[in-house]
Amino acid sequence: MTLIPAPLTHSPGEDQQTPWRRMRIWATAHAVDDFFQGLVPAAIPYFVLERHFSYVQASGLALATTIGSALPQIVIGVLADRRRLPWMAPAGMSLAGIGAGLSGLVPSYPAVFGLLLLAGLGIAMFHPPAGRDARRAAGASATAMSYFAAGGSVGFFVGPALVTPALDGLGIGATALFIPPAVLMGFILLRHNRRSSAASRRVTPRVGADRVGLFALLTAAEIIRSAISNGVNTFIALYWIRHLGASGTVGGAALTLELAGGVVGTLVGGRIADRIGLVRTVQIGNAALLPAMWALLACHQRYGALPLVFLVGLVTNIPFAVLVKLGQDYLPSRPGTAAGVTLGLAISAGGLFMPLLGVVAEHHGPGGALAVLATVPIAAVVLSCALREPGRPDDVPG
């Protein structure tokens, strides 16, 4: 058994706040940070069309962000568990915006790759400390934690919604327009962290045990879910353009709808988990993804398939916030490390499969890549069946 920090004890005024009021600063920061993860798949078709990058090179750009964000996550998570480091999440957010924003201004593929690698590093710096502090603010509520997780989904959603028309009108260099919001929000979050740093150290000892085996299973399931999500984000607009014969605007709309479904799914997943449990919610989300993906591929109408891509995004993200909270429940003595894995490493690791999907797309088109992704949820279903519900925090003696 291990002494671990419990979630912060709120003042009476804070206890009366709604989950959204407690989480709004973290949800907003998460939205701004993950906006730049949404920017990359939205910009990839324009790199293909304007810079004439191949499908393999395009998938490599997704890989660049993945490598930058995946590799440092464990180290940053460990640091977040040992030290407060109030500057890390704000600095990471600003770095993500600068790297992704400048990527459209440089002419060569290696330079674009390097800047997206830098953006990935910024994303890695944000998630572990932000996930740790957001969980403290959320307490035991999966609904509250879903607001934080949904902030990231909102960022993914708003990314294509803003980036696509900007790049349509101004070209790939318009990515630079999105640097200032990242820097501004980084400054706001830094001030917030400095004001709350004293309160964040007021923690109550609690007894708990890490469940490393279950955490490893959860991580594997999250990597599979992430591979599906990354693959759909990368190839869905190209699928509409190249397979369904739609315009770039309609392809961007398909990606936007898929990410909008992700926002709804994240929020729905948190509410479902508060009612039926975390593990059952994960299992439901994984199982529902199989028919959703195959229904999308069975529809060959560029407009008729739009509601189906929304559904794919929704069911893909039902487990998202639940996996973040469940990971911290399985690894209670290391909340920063758990957040770094579930919010960062596992999600980013799914992008490591993008080059393989790129090879499939080179030979069979974007539809071939999506067909491969449609079979992958079977593995996630099998893994999630081995998960177990953690003990409720109230059941753990203080």
Side-chain angles (χ1 to χ4, degrees):
M1 308 297 280
T2 309
L3 288 179
I4 64 172
L8 291 177
T9 302
H10 303 290
S11 67
E14 288 172 320
D15 286 338
Q16 295 172 4
Q17 291 181 350
T18 64
W20 166 246
R21 287 181 62 85
R22 298 207 311 268
M23 301 302 292
R24 58 187 175 183
I25 184 70
W26 291 110
T28 303
H30 200 187
V32 173
D33 183 78
D34 282 12
F35 171 91
F36 295 98
Q37 293 200 75
L39 179 149
V40 174
I44 280 175
Y46 296 90
F47 282 115
V48 172
L49 297 174
E50 293 186 27
R51 303 287 175 79
H52 308 291
F53 293 165
S54 69
Y55 284 136
V56 172
Q57 287 177 314
S59 60
L61 296 182
L63 178 63
T65 308
T66 296
I67 292 173
S69 60
L71 296 182
Q73 287 288 348
I74 296 296
V75 174
I76 294 173
V78 171
L79 286 174
D81 286 331
R82 294 180 177 178
R83 297 182 180 275
R84 168 69 177 157
L85 300 178
W87 55 268
M88 183 175 287
M93 184 192 314
S94 299
L95 187 62
I98 292 169
L102 292 178
S103 67
L105 298 180
V106 297
S108 68
Y109 182 82
V112 175
F113 188 94
L115 284 167
L116 292 182
L117 194 70
L118 188 67
L121 176 61
I123 292 165
M125 291 171 61
F126 174 82
H127 282 114
R132 173 201 63 196
D133 293 341
R135 175 62 195 275
R136 286 173 175 168
S141 171
T143 297
M145 199 61 186
S146 75
Y147 289 128
F148 170 69
S153 299
V154 168
F156 271 101
F157 162 69
V158 173
L162 295 181
V163 171
T164 298
L167 300 191
D168 265 339
L170 301 174
I172 191 67
T175 55
L177 297 174
F178 304 105
I179 296 175
V183 176
L184 176 60
M185 190 63 208
F187 175 73
I188 293 171
L189 183 59
L190 180 62
R191 292 190 61 187
H192 170 80
N193 283 349
R194 286 176 172 171
R195 287 196 302 266
S196 61
S197 60
S200 70
R201 289 192 289 266
R202 296 198 302 270
V203 297
T204 304
R206 175 172 289 182
V207 177
D210 292 338
R211 306 172 75 178
V212 177
L214 288 174
F215 184 78
L217 284 173
L218 178 142
T219 301
E222 173 69 348
I223 289 173
I224 293 170
R225 191 203 71 84
S226 169
I228 298 168
S229 180
N230 274 282
V232 173
N233 291 345
T234 300
F235 289 106
I236 199 67
L238 290 170
Y239 174 77
W240 246 259
I241 296 169
R242 297 288 171 86
H243 185 77
L244 299 182
S247 65
T249 300
V250 177
L255 176 59
T256 300
L257 279 171
E258 189 264 330
L259 298 174
V263 176
V264 176
T266 301
L267 294 172
V268 168
R271 294 186 177 275
I272 292 173
D274 278 336
R275 287 164 173 78
I276 69 172
L278 302 173
V279 172
R280 290 179 65 189
T281 304
V282 173
Q283 293 168 344
I284 288 171
N286 289 335
L289 190 51
L290 282 163
M293 284 290 294
W294 284 111
L296 172 64
L297 292 174
C299 183
H300 301 291
Q301 299 178 353
R302 68 188 72 170
Y303 297 110
L306 290 176
L308 294 173
V309 79
F310 177 87
L311 178 63
V312 167
L314 188 152
V315 299
T316 301
N317 273 42
I318 283 176
F320 181 32
V322 182
L323 288 166
V324 175
K325 184 178 185 300
L326 190 58
Q328 291 178 322
D329 288 344
Y330 283 157
L331 215 62
S333 71
R334 289 170 280 179
T337 301
V341 172
T342 55
L343 277 171
L345 178 61
I347 291 176
S348 299
L352 297 175
F353 296 94
M354 292 308 100
L356 294 176
L357 288 173
V359 172
V360 174
E362 286 283 359
H363 292 86
H364 303 285
L370 293 179
V372 171
L373 292 172
T375 65
V376 173
I378 296 173
V381 171
V382 172
L383 287 171
S384 63
C385 288
L387 297 176
R388 296 293 179 267
E389 200 74 33
R392 293 179 58 85
D394 294 341
D395 297 333
V396 182

